[in-house]
């Protein structure tokens, strides 16, 4: 059972997603009942599809319940900028490509690389955590090692 760190906004979104998933239960139960009423279940593709949808829904509900139950909301007012930590915006220079990138370090459930939200559990996220502005860190990624210089840490 892993702890999932997230913002209050991230937790609110998860709770809404869970409520929406739970609201789908009666819809799928009705589809199963309707398909069952159509006769022979051994050759009933509708029944099989509805049962499969029910299984996937229950799996999703279970996953969401676990995420919500093990969520730890990060108090954004307690975040400093001395060392890289969750919810910091970090500006780094990739010393291999000279490219400058900026992203926020977030929990896995809120990660969205296209939106500049990097999961703190990724190799790059883990390499940056706990380091200060001006430091050079190495991230071991599948393609090798990337060196980053931390240019700035902000909220």
């Amino acid at each position: 059972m892993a702890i999932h760190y997230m913002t209050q906004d991230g937790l609110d979104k998860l709770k809404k997603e869970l409520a929406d998933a739970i609201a789908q239960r009666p819809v799928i139960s009705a589809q199963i009942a309707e398909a069952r009423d159509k006769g022979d279940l051994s050759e009933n593709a509708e029944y099989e599809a509805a049962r499969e949808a029910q299984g996937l829904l229950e799996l999703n509900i279970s996953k969401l319940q676990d995420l919500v139950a093990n969520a730890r909301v990060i108090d954004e007012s307690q975040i400093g900028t001395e060392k890289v930590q969750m919810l910091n915006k970090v500006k780094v220079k990739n010393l291999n490509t000279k490219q400058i990138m900026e992203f926020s370090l977030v929990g896995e459930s809120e990660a969205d690389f296209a939106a500049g939200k990097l999961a703190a559990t990724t190799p790059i996220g883990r390499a940056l955590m706990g380091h200060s502005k001006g430091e050079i860190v190495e991230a071991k990624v599948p393609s090798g090692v990337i060196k980053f210089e931390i240019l700035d840490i902000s909220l």
Side-chain angles (χ1 to χ4, degrees):
M1 167 174 73
I3 292 175
H4 305 284
Y5 293 99
M6 60 188 66
T7 60
Q8 185 61 53
D9 189 39
L11 180 59
D12 292 343
K13 283 180 187 165
L14 272 181
K15 285 181 177 176
K16 183 187 179 327
E17 197 178 328
L18 176 58
D20 291 348
I22 289 171
Q24 286 297 307
R25 278 177 167 160
V27 175
I28 289 184
S29 293
Q31 288 172 347
I32 290 171
E34 190 180 314
R36 196 180 313 131
D37 292 342
K38 291 183 179 170
D40 185 9
L41 297 181
S42 65
E43 295 174 16
N44 190 330
E46 266 181 65
Y47 178 76
E48 286 303 315
R51 292 287 301 167
E52 189 172 320
Q54 183 183 42
L56 291 172
L57 177 69
E58 291 305 323
L59 199 65
N60 191 34
I61 287 172
S62 176
K63 184 185 89 178
L64 290 167
Q65 284 173 330
D66 175 65
L67 282 170
V68 169
N70 297 303
R72 295 294 177 274
V73 174
I74 298 165
D75 181 352
E76 296 182 53
S77 69
Q78 300 298 311
I79 298 172
T81 56
E82 290 300 306
K83 293 188 181 301
V84 177
Q85 57 186 311
M86 292 286 288
L87 299 187
N88 277 148
K89 274 197 180 93
V90 185
K91 190 176 198 176
V92 295
K93 182 176 187 178
N94 178 330
L95 297 178
N96 302 10
T97 64
K98 307 296 182 235
Q99 184 182 10
I100 292 177
M101 301 178 290
E102 190 169 31
F103 37 74
S104 298
L105 289 171
V106 296
E108 252 176 270
S109 63
E110 294 180 78
D112 179 357
F113 194 73
K117 294 181 175 186
L118 182 70
T121 54
T122 61
I124 294 171
R126 283 197 312 266
L128 293 170
M129 292 294 255
H131 290 278
S132 305
K133 184 175 169 178
E135 283 189 61
I136 293 175
V137 297
E138 290 185 358
K140 288 178 180 58
V141 295
S143 60
V145 174
I146 304 175
K147 287 185 177 184
F148 291 101
E149 180 182 354
I150 300 173
L151 301 177
D152 195 30
I153 304 168
S154 60
L155 293 177

